[in-house]
């Protein structure tokens, strides 16, 4: 089941919920969207403007991942997101 949202309707709680539903850590999402881990943490904390272009990229990754798309890969090196992780990542 996919969750339909648009970047302009995604709030901090939604962002965290969508990320977790997609089975991604903050680090995996940041790499796939081409932004910093701190940006993801700040966005989930409500410290990012809704009109941010980065939010649109993050939203695109979350939509692909929640739909089970194989295209949800690390934008820097093509690694499968499920293979990346770390102790400091929040599921």
């Amino acid at each position: 089941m996919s969750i339909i949202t648009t970047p302009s309707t995604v709030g901090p709680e939604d962002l965290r919920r969508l990320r977790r539903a997609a089975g991604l850590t903050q680090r995996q999402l940041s790499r796939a969207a081409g932004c910093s881990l701190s940006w993801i943490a700040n966005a989930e904390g409500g410290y990012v403007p809704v009109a941010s272009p980065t939010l649109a990229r993050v939203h695109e990754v979350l939509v692909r991942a929640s739909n089970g798309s194989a295209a949800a890969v690390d934008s820097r090196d093509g690694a499968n997101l499920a293979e990346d992780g770390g102790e400091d990542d929040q599921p």
Side-chain angles (χ1 to χ4, degrees), residues 22 24 60-74 80-82:
L24 300 175
E60 180 183 335
V61 169
L62 288 171
V63 168
R64 285 192 326 239
S66 69
N67 289 330
S69 171
V73 295
D74 188 313
N80 185 315
L81 287 174

Side-chain angles (χ1 to χ4, degrees), residues 27-51:
R27 182 178 309 276
Q28 289 168 329
L29 179 56
S30 70
R31 287 184 175 175
C35 63
S36 69
L37 177 60
S38 62
W39 191 96
I40 298 295
N42 286 334
E44 288 185 359
Y47 302 108
V48 172
V50 173

Side-chain angles (χ1 to χ4, degrees), residues 3-4 6 9 12-14 21 23 27 31 38 40-41 43 54 58 62 70 72 80 82 86 89:
I3 302 167
I4 299 174
T6 63
T9 63
E13 303 84 18
D14 299 318
R27 182 178 309 276
R31 287 184 175 175
S38 62
I40 298 295
T54 303
V58 168
L62 288 171
N80 185 315
D89 293 335

